[in-house]
């Protein structure tokens, strides 16, 4: 299948040269896609991995053949950690469907319903501003502040409470999650995918990861237990309460139900893992891009001043009148694609895609980075240019090729929540501050740090009070 396009030997050589010095996977696969075509395969052992590099091929697979391409590959390490529960890595089928449908509608209930999440995001933004103000006009590292704030929004929704940024339990939880994610990308632990029993070795990163798993489980299970003890069926406070009530409801009618407290634990873990790094990295990218493009920052602030002013907190209702702000967030998401290779899918049947046979069990990687940097779709794709999302009257253009949340049946479950957080937090920050990149600082490389999500390289920033 390699060589699906008429690649020149020059680009082939260029790709090989790239192998000789480390190149982040999203960039390497994008180059290979340009050389070999929009659908090419690699082998890891005997397993075919098929990379989809342009919008039409991604849509053909994930939307037009959704029934075949909605499963996730079984990765031994992930299976050990998730027990195949939760939503993100659950096998495609009726359990995933029910759990996702329930979780999604409960998120919507708390996000957009009566118990709106909006005031909680605004409240969290106030804490962020308080932290930022402590730095005066000195450069500071925005990563921990933004990370804490976004985690707290998940906490508000999942547990009905926020934690102070210096709360020992909260700090420990965040440290454990981030260390756990770091270890799962470590070369040694990846050997578990070849020999799963290595996970039980009593030393090194194997033991550390198992201990983290135990500690995170204890922290989350304690909160779930406290919710169980104080549950009031008439007055569900948060996602956990709603889920527990649903568990009780299901027990009455269906003894085989997949809804139970163990499953709840994995769903909450998914919300933390899928919902925090992605959103906080997008906010961190936004601050970085806006500080490097002060003219665009000024335009967003002018729109904020016109529609909201400096005092009233922003509301989602303002969004419709703020096309430039929305276009700016979209342009940051286009440029940075924090989940650049999406989350792998698996072909559950042998099928044909774009004329090629895709064997059952192939791992499918939709390269969203490549779609968002495709020069056939985007004029000057490497330039930061928010106005590309506006029409000639300054109104927002919806583009189907803009897919930071993926597409198809497994499209991001937190898309609406993430959009709400991004808009309210960014607007709230730009209402109060102008962000500047320190004059003497070196600009970080803009292709990002590839990990579970694509983070900006560390940077410091100055926040000037407006
Ligand atoms: C800017 C923020 C975010 C981005 C860019 C993002 C992006 C993505 C992407 C690309 C996928 C893979 C979709 C696929 O397989 O086609 C995904 C899946 C998922 N996301 Fe997000 N996400 C974000 C925020 C969130 C938030 C806030 C939550 C939840 C609170 C969340 C929950 C999930 C879940 C549960 C899945 C798995 C869906 C499934 O397998 O059925 N995400 N996200």
């Amino acid at each position: 299948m390699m060589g699906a396009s008429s690649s020149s030997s020059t680009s082939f050589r260029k790709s090989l040269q790239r192998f000789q010095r480390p190149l982040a996977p999203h960039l390497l696969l994008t180059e290979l896609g340009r050389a070999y075509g929009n659908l090419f395969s690699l082998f890891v052992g005997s397993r075919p991995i098929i990379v989809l590099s342009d919008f039409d091929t991604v849509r053909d697979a994930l939307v037009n053949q959704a029934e075949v391409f909605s499963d996730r590959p079984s990765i031994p390490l992930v299976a050990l950690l998730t027990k195949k529960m939760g939503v993100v890595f659950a096998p495609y089928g009726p359990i995933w469907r029910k759990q996702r449908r329930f979780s999604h509608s409960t998120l919507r209930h708390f996000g957009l319903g009566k118990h709106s999440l909006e005031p909680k995001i605004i409240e969290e933004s106030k804490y962020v501003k308080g932290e930022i103000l402590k730095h005066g006009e000195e450069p500071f590292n925005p990563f921990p502040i933004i990370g804490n704030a976004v985690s707290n929004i998940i906490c508000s929704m999942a547990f009905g409470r926020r934690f102070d940024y210096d709360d020992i339990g909260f700090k420990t939880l965040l440290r454990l999650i981030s260390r756990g994610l770091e270890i799962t990308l470590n070369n040694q632990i990846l050997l578990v995918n070849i020999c799963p029993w290595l996970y039980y070795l009593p030393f090194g990163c194997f033991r550390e990861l198992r201990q983290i798993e135990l500690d995170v489980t204890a922290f989350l299970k304690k909160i779930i237990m406290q919710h169980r003890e104080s549950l009031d069926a008439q007055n569900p406070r948060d996602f956990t309460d709603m889920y527990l009530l649903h568990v009780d409801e299901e027990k009455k009618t269906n003894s085989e139900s997949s809804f139970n407290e163990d499953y709840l634990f994995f769903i909450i873990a998914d919300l933390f893992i899928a919902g925090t790094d992605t959103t906080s990295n997008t906010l961190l990218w936004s601050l970085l891009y806006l500080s490097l493009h002060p003219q665009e920052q000024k335009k967003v602030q002018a729109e904020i001043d016109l529609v909201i002013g400096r005092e009233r907190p922003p509301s989602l209702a303002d969004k419709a009148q703020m096309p430039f702000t929305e276009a700016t967030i979209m342009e940051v998401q286009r440029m940075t694609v924090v989940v650049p290779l999406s989350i792998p899918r698996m072909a559950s049947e042998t099928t044909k895609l774009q004329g090629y046979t895709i064997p059952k069990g192939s791992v499918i990687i939709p390269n969203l980075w490549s779609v968002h940097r495709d020069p056939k779709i985007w004029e000057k794709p490497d330039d930061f240019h928010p106005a590309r999302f506006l029409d000639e009257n300054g109104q927002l253009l919806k583009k189907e090729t803009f897919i930071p949340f993926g597409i198809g049946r497994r499209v991001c479950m937190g898309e609406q929540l993430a959009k709400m957080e991004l808009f309210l937090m960014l607007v709230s920050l730009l209402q109060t501050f102008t962000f500047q990149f320190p004059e003497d600082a070196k600009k970080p490389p803009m292709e990002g740090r590839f990990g579970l999500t694509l983070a900006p390289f560390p940077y410091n920033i100055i926040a000037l009070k407006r």
Side-chain angles (χ1 to χ4, degrees):
M1 213 176 297
M2 275 261 193
S5 82
S6 59
S7 62
S8 70
S9 61
T10 323
S11 49
F12 174 73
R13 227 175 306 117
K14 249 169 83 188
S15 303
L16 276 184
Q17 278 163 8
R18 291 292 203 186
F19 272 121
Q20 286 154 23
R21 64 188 162 88
L23 186 64
H26 58 297
L27 302 178
L28 175 62
L29 294 182
T30 299
E31 285 206 4
L32 290 175
R34 305 267 191 263
Y36 296 114
N38 292 322
L39 191 154
F40 66 91
S41 62
L42 305 161
F43 277 84
V44 172
S46 58
R47 195 163 196 182
I49 299 197
I50 303 196
V51 184
L52 317 178
S53 301
D54 76 327
F55 177 74
D56 286 339
T57 315
V58 171
R59 181 179 50 188
D60 241 15
L62 307 195
V63 178
N64 300 346
Q65 292 201 59
E67 204 45 42
V68 180
F69 290 108
S70 292
D71 209 350
R72 302 271 188 222
S74 175
I75 303 168
L77 179 62
V78 174
L80 274 167
L81 292 171
T82 64
K83 319 276 182 286
K84 300 202 172 188
M85 291 198 238
V87 174
V88 180
F89 284 102
Y92 180 61
I95 295 183
W96 162 80
R97 192 169 294 112
K98 280 193 190 139
Q99 293 287 342
R100 176 173 165 130
R101 193 174 297 149
F102 177 84
S103 304
H104 197 192
S105 74
T106 308
L107 283 183
R108 271 205 304 265
H109 175 84
F110 283 106
L112 310 168
K114 212 164 82 204
H115 310 268
S116 172
L117 195 62
E118 196 172 298
K120 295 202 170 129
I121 299 179
I122 298 296
E123 187 197 352
E124 201 57 48
S125 307
K126 286 191 187 138
Y127 286 102
V128 173
K129 290 186 202 175
E131 287 297 308
I132 292 180
L133 281 171
K134 288 183 190 165
H135 297 277
E137 299 197 348
E138 292 301 313
F140 68 97
N141 170 8
F143 285 60
I145 305 175
I146 299 289
N148 283 349
V150 172
S151 304
N152 250 335
I153 291 165
I154 298 285
C155 285
S156 295
M157 210 186 45
F159 308 137
R161 61 163 295 189
R162 69 175 299 279
F163 293 87
D164 281 334
Y165 296 162
D166 48 13
D167 181 293
I168 300 288
F170 183 55
K171 269 166 79 168
T172 310
L173 176 73
L174 297 188
R175 190 176 45 74
L176 288 174
I177 293 179
S178 104
R179 177 71 188 137
L181 295 179
E182 202 178 304
I183 296 179
T184 49
L185 293 169
N186 159 313
N187 288 340
Q188 262 182 16
I189 205 86
L190 291 178
L191 291 174
V192 170
N193 292 324
I194 302 165
C195 298
W197 56 265
L198 286 175
Y199 184 67
Y200 300 100
L201 285 180
F203 50 77
C205 60
F206 306 100
R207 194 175 76 167
E208 193 186 350
L209 189 60
R210 282 204 319 281
Q211 189 57 48
I212 289 176
E213 193 192 349
L214 285 177
D215 292 345
V216 172
T217 307
F219 185 95
L220 294 182
K221 288 230 160 141
K222 188 170 155 206
I223 298 184
I224 294 175
M225 200 180 71
Q226 288 164 345
H227 273 68
R228 174 53 89 191
E229 285 164 3
S230 56
L231 188 62
D232 171 2
Q234 304 312 316
N235 185 24
R237 296 157 292 189
D238 48 43
F239 187 95
T240 302
D241 273 1
M242 295 280 277
Y243 195 100
L244 289 173
L245 290 172
H246 196 67
V247 170
D248 296 346
E249 202 52 42
E250 286 268 299
K251 262 190 202 148
K252 289 184 201 151
T253 53
N254 177 5
S255 58
E256 307 271 279
S257 171
S258 64
F259 285 84
N260 56 54
E261 287 173 26
D262 276 347
Y263 214 111
L264 168 61
F265 164 77
F266 286 103
I267 299 240
I268 288 181
D270 269 2
L271 296 185
F272 269 103
I273 291 167
T276 45
D277 262 21
T278 44
T279 313
S280 53
N281 282 333
T282 307
L283 281 168
L284 289 164
W285 277 118
S286 306
L287 297 183
L288 181 60
Y289 268 98
L290 288 177
S291 66
L292 294 171
H293 296 269
Q295 289 312 321
E296 308 295 350
Q297 183 173 182
K298 269 198 192 117
K299 286 188 214 161
V300 176
Q301 286 172 324
E303 195 172 67
I304 295 174
D305 289 352
L306 184 73
V307 177
I308 309 177
R310 304 257 174 116
E311 299 304 324
R312 171 175 74 76
S315 151
L316 283 185
D318 298 318
K319 213 173 173 185
Q321 298 166 67
M322 301 177 68
F324 191 80
T325 305
E326 215 180 328
T328 303
I329 297 173
M330 287 163 84
E331 180 66 345
V332 170
Q333 288 196 284
R334 184 192 69 79
M335 293 285 290
T336 58
V337 212
V338 291
V339 196
L341 301 176
S342 191
I343 301 174
R345 304 284 190 103
M346 185 179 74
S348 46
E349 295 297 331
T350 296
T351 188
K352 286 258 179 206
L353 183 65
Q354 305 262 316
Y356 295 99
T357 301
I358 310 292
K360 178 178 175 173
S362 305
V363 176
I364 308 295
I365 298 192
N367 186 347
L368 305 184
W369 175 276
S370 158
V371 171
H372 279 192
R373 297 286 180 123
D374 185 348
K376 290 196 207 86
I377 303 178
W378 311 97
E379 204 185 319
K380 298 194 182 155
D382 298 332
D383 289 359
F384 181 71
H385 182 50
R388 72 171 80 241
F389 285 103
L390 299 175
D391 68 13
E392 59 282 6
N393 301 318
Q395 292 309 304
L396 198 70
L397 282 172
K398 300 263 182 223
K399 297 195 185 230
E400 63 167 358
T401 48
F402 171 69
I403 49 171
F405 297 98
I407 44 172
R409 295 196 187 152
R410 294 201 86 141
V411 65
C412 175
M413 192 181 82
E415 177 172 352
Q416 292 87 345
L417 174 65
K419 284 180 172 165
M420 186 172 170
E421 292 179 60
L422 294 175
F423 177 80
L424 293 175
M425 289 208 115
L426 193 67
V427 168
S428 187
L429 289 178
L430 291 171
Q431 222 176 3
T432 310
F433 301 107
T434 295
F435 291 92
Q436 264 184 12
F437 200 71
E439 257 173 41
D440 49 353
K442 199 166 160 249
K443 183 178 147 188
M446 297 301 275
E447 74 267 15
R449 248 182 327 144
F450 188 88
L452 211 64
T453 58
L454 192 73
F457 279 94
Y459 65 85
N460 286 343
I461 203 163
I462 298 171
L464 297 177
K465 190 134 190 331
R466 298 181 68 203

